[in-house]
Amino acid sequence: MTPPPDPNRARNRRADARRSRASILQAAIRLLNERPDASVEAIATAAGVTRQTVYAHFPAREQLLAAALDRLTEQTVAAMAAADPDSGPAADALLRLLDAAERAAGEYPALTRMLSTLPAGAQQDAERHIPVAELLERVVRRGQAMGEFDDRLPAGWLVTATIALAHAADAEAEAGRLTWQEARDTLRTSLLRLLGADRAAGAEGTRADPGEGHTG
């Protein structure tokens, strides 16, 4: 008679599988940032598992890269959420979110650049950005409700435009048409103008000196 399955053993196997997957992803992120052409064998060695274990979780290299991108996105979202998006002026909160995202991406610059070239469908890319968009929309809606941001445009559209402008700023810096600092400053000035934050500031009298630029 076959003994019944042991639920504890099954739970342990699932826990082991989760730990193996996490180890593989962390090793891949670290190693691919140092050597974008690192092989699956090298990643397996760095993770302390066999190549077969890597393939059991990620049958193709493209799947491993996509999972690494998902993990980096999760880390970016966590950093943005920790930037206190619900306190202080909405414009300041928005810039804190951008700074947090920039710092998170800056931890793995080579890997971030490589992953940005991965082919991805519009639906897949949109789904990956949902947690980021939700944080941004929270700040945008708060700014509109408080009169800091222009409320004549839909919040969802402003969030989509914010993400698109952030990608555009990265692309300009990557192409060498702007320095990274110029891209950063240009993005922030553009966003504050898009959101109407400069008009709100002007209504409060900050336009008294026309020679002063926007801060961001």
Side-chain angles (χ1 to χ4, degrees):
M1 180 176 178
T2 304
D6 184 346
N8 290 327
R9 181 176 297 177
R11 280 195 295 270
N12 289 338
R13 281 199 299 268
R14 289 195 294 271
D16 288 343
R18 286 194 296 269
R19 283 193 291 269
S20 292
R21 189 178 191 277
S23 296
I24 292 165
L25 278 177
Q26 285 306 115
I29 288 171
R30 184 178 68 255
L31 195 58
L32 290 170
N33 188 59
E34 298 169 358
R35 293 162 38 204
D37 61 345
S39 66
V40 171
E41 289 82 357
I43 292 170
T45 299
V49 300
T50 66
R51 185 179 64 174
Q52 288 74 18
T53 300
V54 175
Y55 282 123
H57 289 282
F58 308 103
R61 181 181 175 87
E62 291 74 19
Q63 290 175 299
L64 175 58
L65 294 177
L69 179 55
D70 288 339
R71 178 58 59 87
L72 289 183
T73 301
E74 291 170 4
Q75 293 175 359
T76 297
V77 171
M80 293 172 71
D84 205 6
D86 298 318
S87 69
D92 292 346
L94 180 68
L95 297 183
R96 285 199 303 273
L97 292 184
L98 294 177
D99 288 342
E102 184 179 298
R103 285 193 299 271
E107 292 184 20
Y108 304 100
L111 178 59
T112 299
R113 286 194 294 271
M114 181 184 73
L115 294 179
S116 68
T117 65
L118 288 177
Q123 182 65 27
Q124 184 181 11
D125 189 59
E127 289 175 357
R128 186 171 282 129
H129 279 100
I130 285 174
V132 173
E134 288 176 344
L135 281 170
L136 293 173
E137 185 165 348
R138 217 160 80 196
V139 175
V140 169
R141 289 190 181 278
R142 181 163 70 86
Q144 289 179 323
M146 298 299 293
E148 293 182 61
F149 296 160
D150 192 341
D151 62 359
R152 292 173 296 179
L153 293 173
W157 162 255
L158 291 173
V159 169
T160 299
T162 296
I163 293 172
L165 281 172
H167 286 321
D170 286 344
E172 289 297 291
E174 286 287 349
R177 290 185 287 268
L178 294 174
T179 67
W180 284 103
Q181 186 61 47
E182 287 171 341
R184 183 180 186 275
D185 293 343
T186 300
L187 170 63
R188 282 152 177 73
T189 300
S190 299
L191 284 178
L192 293 179
R193 290 178 177 173
L194 170 70
L195 293 164
D198 57 338
R199 288 189 291 275
E204 295 170 5
T206 56
R207 289 182 183 170
D209 181 358
E212 291 184 2
H214 299 296
T215 58

